[in-house]
């Protein structure tokens, strides 16, 4: 999809906003939602036996800490910690697997972290074998089975093993290839190392390879990041994500080790973004939305063209109808239109499993109003358009009456050329696509009604 970079409008609208990997977002989760609620929703989900499953496993360990990181992780060089963690993860798998009909196929599976490849080869093999024993995994390589890998922690043999046990999509953290930037964020990763792993993925017939970059890191410059991007484009990943670094040291302790004086200025970050968009467009990549680009023949680009793209906690995906069963510390599930999150603290996670309970600490069950707004946000964030009649037919509402406040707010955005608005539809303009998080936020009732400011990254 074409996008137009308008620096003046980006500066004016560049407020904090959710990424809408869910609606309601995680800030709406409460401790009122318990394990009992989750069990009820899991049972309800089985009444729709054709609904496939998506599995997520959180592996929280890293052997070094990247200073920019905002993930839930445990930095340690004590690899024995993984053994204890896996023992508990297997026990959680046992509890979860009993809740879902074995006829339900696992179309999507993802290992995230942390660094999933903190696990050794035997542990990787054993965890996937245990998953396969417990759930109905596909055997024909047609599933969307992905893993986040740190190129510094794997070898060509690791990639061969990952492919053998069933992974077919690989996401590589790179962030920047400039040596001085890598030193500043404590992530030394020569591009030759990254290239070797990408080559190994291709040699083992990976379905896709994606690369993550971050702009706004210390010591980054306009020219320096342009060189990083060109070197990454030369590796020809199928997908690229270019994230804006959110410096929130009061929330994420590792970020306190970043020298704020070395962070690029806001105007330089905008130039970096503008040049990156142009470089990726020139290289033939398609803008999917919210930091994500893909080759035109990639499944995400095809799904967007066909109107079947979806967004969840794993980002953009082609699997819209799956119930997401997430396991491990801090993992978030989405089952039967209810969200639930596991304990973020590993000791609390262990304690609940020792008691025979799922380690759920909070969540929220979607109301009918939530479902309406969720569908709207999905359509806007994935396809940059909304047909009012589709919403009216799905939920038996009068769109104009139901969203009178929102339409008034959108009218101002239309005046700013962020979107086209009439009595029947919204079409996000080439200018507005970079600000899609702001447009989606108009329909976020929780943000509208909040009494305290929530912490999110900037929209750009």
């Amino acid at each position: 999809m074409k996008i137009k970079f308008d620096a003046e409008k980006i500066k004016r609208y560049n407020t904090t906003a959710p990424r809408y990997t869910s609606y309601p977002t995680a800030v709406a989760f409460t401790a009122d939602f318990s394990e009992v609620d989750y069990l009820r929703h899991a049972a309800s989900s089985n009444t729709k036996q054709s609904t496939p499953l998506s599995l997520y496993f959180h592996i929280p360990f890293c052997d070094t800490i990247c200073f920019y990181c905002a993930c839930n992780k445990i930095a340690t060089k004590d690899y024995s910690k993984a053994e204890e963690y896996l023992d508990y993860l297997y026990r959680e798998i046992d509890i979860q697997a009993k809740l879902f009909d074995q006829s339900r196929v696992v179309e999507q599976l993802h290992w995230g972290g942390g660094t999933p490849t903190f696990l050794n080869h035997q542990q990787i093999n054993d965890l996937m074998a245990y998953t396969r024993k417990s759930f109905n995994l596909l055997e024909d390589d047609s599933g969307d089975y992905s893993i986040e890998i740190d190129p510094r922690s794997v070898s060509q043999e690791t990639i061969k093993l990952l492919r053998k046990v069933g992974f077919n999509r690989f996401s590589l953290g790179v962030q920047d290839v400039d040596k001085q930037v890598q030193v500043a964020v404590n992530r030394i990763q020569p591009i030759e190392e990254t290239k070797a792993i990408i080559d190994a993925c291709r040699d083992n017939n990976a379905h896709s390879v994606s690369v993550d970059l971050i702009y706004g890191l210390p010591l980054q410059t306009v020219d320096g990041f342009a060189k990083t991007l060109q070197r990454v484009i030369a590796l020809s990943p199928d997908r690229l994500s270019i994230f804006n670094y959110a410096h929130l040291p009061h929330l994420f302790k590792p970020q306190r080790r970043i020298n704020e004086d070395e962070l690029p200025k806001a105007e330089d970050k905008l130039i970096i973004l503008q040049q990156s968009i142009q470089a990726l467009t020139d290289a033939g990549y398609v803008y999917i939305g919210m930091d994500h680009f893909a080759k035109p023949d990639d499944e995400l680009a095809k799904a967007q063209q066909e109107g079947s793209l979806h967004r969840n906690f794993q980002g953009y995906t082609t699997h819209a109808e799956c119930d997401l069963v997430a396991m491990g510390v801090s993992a978030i599930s989405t089952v039967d239109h209810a969200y639930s999150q596991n304990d973020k603290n590993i000791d609390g996670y262990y304690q609940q499993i020792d008691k025979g309970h799922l380690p759920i600490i909070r969540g929220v069950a979607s109301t009918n109003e939530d479902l309406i707004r969720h569908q709207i946000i999905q359509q806007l964030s994935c396809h940059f358009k909304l047909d009012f009649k589709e919403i009216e037919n799905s939920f038996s509402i009068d769109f104009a009456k139901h969203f009178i406040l929102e339409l008034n707010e959108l009218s101002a955005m239309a005046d700013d050329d962020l979107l086209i608005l009439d009595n029947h539809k919204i079409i996000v303009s080439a200018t507005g696509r970079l600000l899609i998080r702001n447009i989606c936020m108009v329909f976020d009732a929780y943000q509208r009604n909040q009494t305290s400011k929530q912490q999110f990254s900037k929209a750009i």
Side-chain angles (χ1 to χ4, degrees), residues 76-106:
T76 180
K77 293 189 182 297
D78 181 359
Y79 285 81
S80 67
K81 289 183 180 293
E83 282 294 337
E84 180 182 22
Y85 183 77
L86 287 173
D87 286 343
Y88 280 92
L89 187 59
Y90 289 147
R91 289 160 67 183
E92 186 184 4
I93 291 171
D94 288 341
I95 299 171
Q96 290 278 17
K98 292 175 182 176
L99 302 179
F100 298 95
D101 194 295
Q102 284 295 308
S103 67
R104 299 176 68 176
V105 172
V106 177

Side-chain angles (χ1 to χ4, degrees), residues 44-170:
S44 175
S45 76
N46 283 321
T47 63
K48 311 155 190 158
Q49 290 185 10
S50 61
T51 302
L53 295 178
S54 173
L55 304 181
Y56 172 78
F57 296 94
H58 190 75
I59 312 298
F61 304 106
C62 301
D63 69 358
T64 57
I65 193 74
C66 301
F67 296 161
Y68 56 79
C69 187
C71 299
N72 184 286
K73 72 281 181 185
I74 298 169
T76 180
K77 293 189 182 297
D78 181 359
Y79 285 81
S80 67
K81 289 183 180 293
E83 282 294 337
E84 180 182 22
Y85 183 77
L86 287 173
D87 286 343
Y88 280 92
L89 187 59
Y90 289 147
R91 289 160 67 183
E92 186 184 4
I93 291 171
D94 288 341
I95 299 171
Q96 290 278 17
K98 292 175 182 176
L99 302 179
F100 298 95
D101 194 295
Q102 284 295 308
S103 67
R104 299 176 68 176
V105 172
V106 177
E107 288 189 355
Q108 187 179 42
L109 180 147
H110 185 78
W111 289 9
T115 306
T117 46
F118 183 92
L119 303 182
N120 64 38
H121 287 194
Q122 188 62 54
Q123 290 167 337
I124 289 169
N125 188 78
D126 290 348
L127 177 55
M128 186 60 98
Y130 203 88
T131 304
R132 198 172 293 279
K133 182 189 77 170
S134 305
F135 291 95
N136 186 13
L137 269 59
L138 294 163
E139 301 290 348
D140 59 2
D141 203 36
S142 64
D144 187 347
Y145 293 178
S146 60
I147 183 171
E148 299 168 13
I149 57 177
D150 181 343
R152 302 170 301 170
S153 68
V154 296
S155 64
Q156 293 182 9
E157 285 302 310
T158 309
I159 300 302
K160 185 177 181 180
L161 170 68
L162 291 171
R163 193 69 183 91
K164 181 181 178 181
V165 300
F167 289 105
N168 50 34
R169 299 187 184 277
F170 300 88

Side-chain angles (χ1 to χ4, degrees), residues 128-418:
M128 186 60 98
Y130 203 88
T131 304
R132 198 172 293 279
K133 182 189 77 170
S134 305
F135 291 95
N136 186 13
L137 269 59
L138 294 163
E139 301 290 348
D140 59 2
D141 203 36
S142 64
D144 187 347
Y145 293 178
S146 60
I147 183 171
E148 299 168 13
I149 57 177
D150 181 343
R152 302 170 301 170
S153 68
V154 296
S155 64
Q156 293 182 9
E157 285 302 310
T158 309
I159 300 302
K160 185 177 181 180
L161 170 68
L162 291 171
R163 193 69 183 91
K164 181 181 178 181
V165 300
F167 289 105
N168 50 34
R169 299 187 184 277
F170 300 88
S171 177
L172 283 69
V174 175
Q175 322 319 344
D176 198 309
V177 305
D178 187 302
K179 180 66 177 293
Q180 67 171 355
V181 176
Q182 292 181 350
V183 171
V185 299
N186 198 39
R187 188 186 178 105
I188 309 301
Q189 184 177 320
I191 193 167
E192 294 79 14
E193 195 172 35
T194 299
K195 181 181 184 303
I197 298 307
I198 291 178
D199 288 345
C201 291
R202 295 204 169 103
D203 289 343
N204 286 279
N205 299 313
H207 291 186
S208 73
V209 176
S210 63
V211 167
D212 290 347
L213 299 176
I214 298 177
Y215 70 96
L217 295 176
L219 300 180
Q220 280 181 336
T221 64
V222 172
D223 291 341
F225 195 82
K227 292 176 182 176
T228 279
L229 189 56
Q230 286 304 324
R231 297 183 76 182
V232 171
I233 288 173
L235 301 178
S236 194
D238 301 284
R239 302 173 186 176
L240 271 156
S241 298
I242 303 185
F243 297 105
N244 170 30
Y245 170 61
H247 190 60
L248 301 169
H250 58 293
L251 294 179
F252 308 111
K253 289 183 179 180
Q255 294 186 358
R256 297 173 190 174
R257 301 174 73 174
I258 284 178
N259 184 350
E260 292 190 24
D261 293 336
E262 294 179 343
L263 295 174
K265 296 179 181 178
E267 51 266 34
D268 287 339
K269 288 177 67 176
L270 282 182
I271 296 172
I272 288 172
L273 176 61
Q274 183 176 18
Q275 290 189 353
S276 298
I277 291 169
Q278 188 62 54
L280 288 167
T281 301
D282 291 345
Y285 286 88
V286 175
Y287 178 64
I288 301 299
M290 294 194 200
D291 321 302
H292 293 269
F293 297 80
K295 289 182 177 179
D297 59 351
D298 184 85
E299 283 189 359
L300 292 184
K302 290 180 179 178
Q304 192 169 60
Q305 292 172 351
E306 296 166 358
S308 59
L309 191 66
H310 185 69
R311 188 164 173 81
N312 64 16
F313 287 107
Q314 296 172 26
Y316 285 104
T317 175
T318 58
H319 299 272
E321 301 304 323
C322 293
D323 279 317
L324 171 58
V325 182
M327 289 159 277
V329 63
S330 78
I332 300 177
S333 297
T334 311
V335 175
D336 190 44
H337 305 301
Y339 300 98
S340 59
Q341 184 170 28
N342 282 353
D343 201 313
K344 297 180 181 181
N345 181 280
I346 197 164
D347 291 331
Y349 174 80
Y350 289 166
Q351 288 170 8
Q352 287 304 307
I353 292 176
D354 277 336
K355 295 176 181 177
H357 293 295
L358 288 170
I360 293 169
I361 58 167
R362 63 177 190 153
V364 64
S366 297
T367 64
N368 189 65
E369 183 66 20
D370 292 336
L371 295 177
I372 297 172
R373 293 174 183 269
H374 174 266
Q375 185 166 321
I376 290 170
I377 289 171
Q378 281 283 322
Q379 286 297 312
L380 290 171
S381 62
C382 293
H383 305 293
F384 299 106
K385 61 184 179 181
L386 180 70
D387 184 330
F388 298 166
K389 184 60 67 176
E390 288 183 6
I391 302 299
E392 290 178 331
N393 291 341
S394 295
F395 296 99
S396 300
I397 62 169
D398 182 314
F399 194 96
K401 290 182 179 179
H402 199 93
F403 294 109
I404 187 168
L405 292 176
E406 289 80 0
L407 289 172
N408 185 57
E409 196 169 333
L410 290 169
S411 180
M413 289 183 166
D415 291 341
D416 270 342
D417 192 34
L418 299 191

